[in-house]
Amino acid sequence: MIFGRVKPLDAILATAEKKSLTRTLGAFQLTMLGIGAIIGTGIFVLTAEAANKAGPAMMVSFVIAAVVCGLAALCYSELASMVPVSGSAYTYSYATFGEIIAWIVGWALVLEYAIAASAVSVGWSGYMVGLVENIFAIEVGNNFVAGPFDANPGIINVPAMLIALLCMALLLIGTKESARFNAILVAIKVAALILFLVLALPAMNAENFQPFSPNGFFAKEVVDPITNNMVTVGVAAAAASIFFAYVGFDAVSTAAEETINPQRNIPIGLIGSLAICTIIYMLVAAGATGAVGAQPGGELSQSKEALAFVLNEIGHGWAGKLVAISAAIALPSVILMMMFGQTRIFFVMARDGLLPDVFSKLHPKFGTPHVVTMCTGVFVALFAALFPVGKLADISNSGTLFAFFTVAVGVMILRRTNPDRKRPFRTPVYFLVCPLAAAGCVFLFFQLSGYTELMFLGWTLIGLVVYFLYSRRRSHVGQGLFEVHELDSDLPPTSVPPIS
């Protein structure tokens, strides 16, 4: 079903050629970018959130989230290899569903990328504050390290705000430089997780896995005995939250326009980074649960620095400090990648006329979209300063699940409407994989809290108001301002009036 104006795939590729980004990234750098985006707050911090919702059965939650993400990754790989330009799910939706749905997807991706960056900034703040307290024996009050909406409220989360602004500054310098810095941070994060596994796995105790699923499978609302607030619990609810731990692999597709040989390297980066992280996550979840237990309301479930807490509890305080230091050093790579993805989404939407053209302007020296990078950085810093990590992660997941759903359905539509187009990567058994991916996204979405679902609905309605008041009449597709040409043909492009 088509909703509004469709931008043909050839037009998307032609537009990208007229105002494109520099191709500097290879398969290894993309995989590192993917791992850098995936491994972060989800495993270092939200392990505690999952334990509070599902207990030891959070291991099942990790599996559920991994399966849904794996299916979505196969769908992403096909579209990214067909359309190797920036824009991710927004671009793909433009060619399949039409402009209105593409706009909603692009608007929803703000929740995935920008809000996710805010969540990781808050997660980083927790580790940094814990590090300062443990190493320097300084008691840090809540006023300037927690936002007004935290369970233990403060005034403003200053560390979270500052790290977001620092990552913004780094992104302004350039993509290649950011990718090199990111590769170093990825190595630090992986080393920290390996150290955790070496020490935690031998300390596993079978008794810590009982009772395995204290809150059942499906999501339900209960009163949190510590905060007295209503919270959503259950294995499926934990999967919907821990889904955040895997989000990031799709950010690789936003770098398609800056990738060397994207038809080959984008699928490698997407699937490779997800596979590596899934193995690491399963081992970490088993180690944390087996070592100290993961019952709802327990000490692990209340920790802001979950992995460091586990190591401290099993008598390896020195290692806990190293993991905390590693998280403090390396978590900014996730913020970096999330902000990178957001700026590229806005860059493409501006290039299509749906956002002000200033967002697609490139810095004369660094060649980066500097205006949109600065706007994104300020937005991320503001939300990081005010909101707690759990709420930010769930809101981010709502936008991500919607985007993944449209990608899965988009593959099925393009197989029917554009069957002859070259597909360097083809989703295997697509008639099974795509519906399962779409169904998995719908299932997890409705396991989120009612508050989160209402937030997503409200954000979508705001986006539609912006679209009809501003974007629709300025759309390049609506004005016929795009070129169309066949990439496999030697004939000159056929076009309507080109973009000036």
Side-chain angles (χ1 to χ4, degrees):
M1 182 179 293
I2 305 299
F3 296 87
R5 303 171 292 216
V6 173
K7 187 171 187 180
L9 290 178
D10 290 319
I12 290 172
L13 294 165
T15 302
E17 288 180 2
K18 291 183 70 67
K19 186 185 283 189
S20 62
L21 299 163
T22 305
R23 297 190 184 275
T24 59
L25 306 177
F28 174 76
Q29 288 171 307
L30 286 173
T31 303
M32 289 299 100
L33 285 173
I35 295 173
I38 297 170
I39 295 180
T41 294
I43 192 66
F44 280 100
V45 180
L46 289 182
T47 301
E49 184 93 0
N52 202 36
K53 291 185 176 183
M58 69 174 175
M59 295 180 63
V60 179
S61 303
F62 272 100
V63 173
I64 294 171
V67 169
V68 174
C69 283
L71 295 172
L74 293 172
C75 300
Y76 259 98
S77 294
E78 176 167 326
L79 293 183
S81 67
M82 285 174 62
V83 193
V85 300
S86 291
S88 187
Y90 158 76
T91 299
Y92 313 146
S93 298
Y94 218 149
T96 51
F97 297 104
E99 188 173 271
I100 296 178
I101 298 299
W103 168 266
I104 294 174
V105 170
W107 193 253
L109 287 174
V110 175
L111 300 181
E112 175 179 356
Y113 292 117
I115 298 298
S118 299
V120 180
S121 298
V122 176
W124 177 87
S125 175
Y127 265 92
M128 181 56 73
V129 171
L131 195 60
V132 170
E133 291 181 336
N134 290 331
I135 292 181
F136 300 104
I138 298 174
E139 187 67 30
V140 180
N142 259 15
N143 282 345
F144 298 105
V145 298
F149 302 103
D150 280 74
N152 296 313
I155 299 173
I156 186 172
N157 194 329
V158 174
M161 180 176 62
L162 292 179
I163 194 62
L165 294 175
L166 178 63
C167 288
M168 176 197 74
L170 185 60
L171 277 177
L172 287 173
I173 296 174
T175 301
K176 191 172 183 179
E177 290 75 12
S178 300
R180 287 172 176 170
F181 178 67
N182 176 76
I184 296 171
L185 298 186
V186 169
I188 293 173
K189 284 191 294 189
V190 172
L193 292 177
I194 290 174
L195 175 63
F196 174 85
L197 293 175
V198 168
L199 298 175
L201 289 177
M204 289 174 62
N205 184 342
E207 293 181 359
N208 287 330
F209 289 90
Q210 301 300 326
F212 185 69
S213 183
N215 289 327
F217 182 81
F218 292 102
K220 59 183 178 183
E221 293 204 342
V222 299
V223 177
D224 188 319
I226 296 177
T227 64
N228 290 322
N229 296 326
M230 293 297 294
V231 294
T232 305
V233 300
V235 173
S241 292
I242 210 65
F243 184 81
F244 184 80
Y246 293 96
V247 171
F249 75 87
D250 59 308
V252 171
S253 67
T254 68
E257 206 167 306
E258 293 156 276
T259 299
I260 302 166
N261 191 9
Q263 287 84 358
R264 170 186 176 272
N265 291 332
I266 290 292
I268 291 175
L270 282 167
I271 298 172
S273 59
L274 183 63
I276 292 169
C277 292
T278 298
I279 294 170
I280 293 173
Y281 280 9
M282 293 305 301
L283 292 173
V284 169
T289 302
V292 301
Q295 296 303 326
E299 290 184 305
L300 174 63
S301 68
Q302 303 304 315
S303 175
K304 289 186 177 182
E305 38 177 342
L307 302 191
F309 169 81
V310 171
L311 293 174
N312 288 332
E313 288 296 298
I314 61 177
H316 298 292
W318 62 272
K321 290 178 181 178
L322 282 179
V323 168
I325 291 171
S326 299
I329 294 173
L331 280 180
S333 70
V334 187
I335 307 169
L336 196 69
M337 194 59 212
M338 293 293 100
M339 290 176 65
F340 172 89
Q342 182 63 75
T343 58
R344 271 48 182 180
I345 297 294
F346 277 163
F347 173 82
V348 177
M349 293 176 75
R351 193 169 60 186
D352 288 338
L354 299 180
L355 291 175
D357 187 59
V358 68
F359 283 178
S360 67
K361 291 187 180 298
L362 301 179
H363 192 279
K365 179 179 178 181
F366 301 124
T368 55
H370 59 293
V371 176
V372 71
T373 299
M374 289 187 286
C375 292
T376 299
V378 171
F379 179 92
V380 169
L382 178 63
F383 274 75
L386 300 177
F387 295 96
V389 63
K391 289 188 182 297
L392 289 171
D394 282 355
I395 293 170
S396 173
N397 286 347
S398 66
T400 306
L401 288 165
F402 179 73
F404 284 12
F405 172 82
T406 61
V407 167
V409 176
V411 169
M412 292 187 287
I413 290 176
L414 285 176
R415 285 291 185 99
R416 293 180 63 87
T417 61
N418 212 329
D420 298 326
R421 179 170 290 276
K422 183 179 179 182
R423 288 170 168 82
F425 179 90
R426 299 177 70 89
T427 302
V429 202
Y430 84 96
F431 52 84
L432 182 61
V433 169
C434 295
L436 285 176
C441 291
V442 172
F443 172 74
L444 289 181
F445 180 87
F446 285 106
Q447 300 306 307
L448 293 167
S449 68
Y451 166 83
T452 301
E453 292 166 1
L454 286 175
M455 285 285 290
F456 176 79
L457 178 61
W459 180 254
T460 302
L461 291 175
I462 292 171
L464 287 173
V465 170
V466 174
Y467 173 76
F468 284 107
L469 290 181
Y470 176 88
S471 304
R472 180 173 173 80
R473 54 195 172 89
R474 288 175 169 81
S475 164
H476 291 164
V477 172
Q479 298 176 59
L481 301 178
F482 62 87
E483 288 189 357
V484 178
H485 69 158
E486 297 294 338
L487 296 183
D488 296 328
S489 171
D490 294 328
L491 297 174
T494 59
S495 68
V496 289
I499 300 173
S500 57

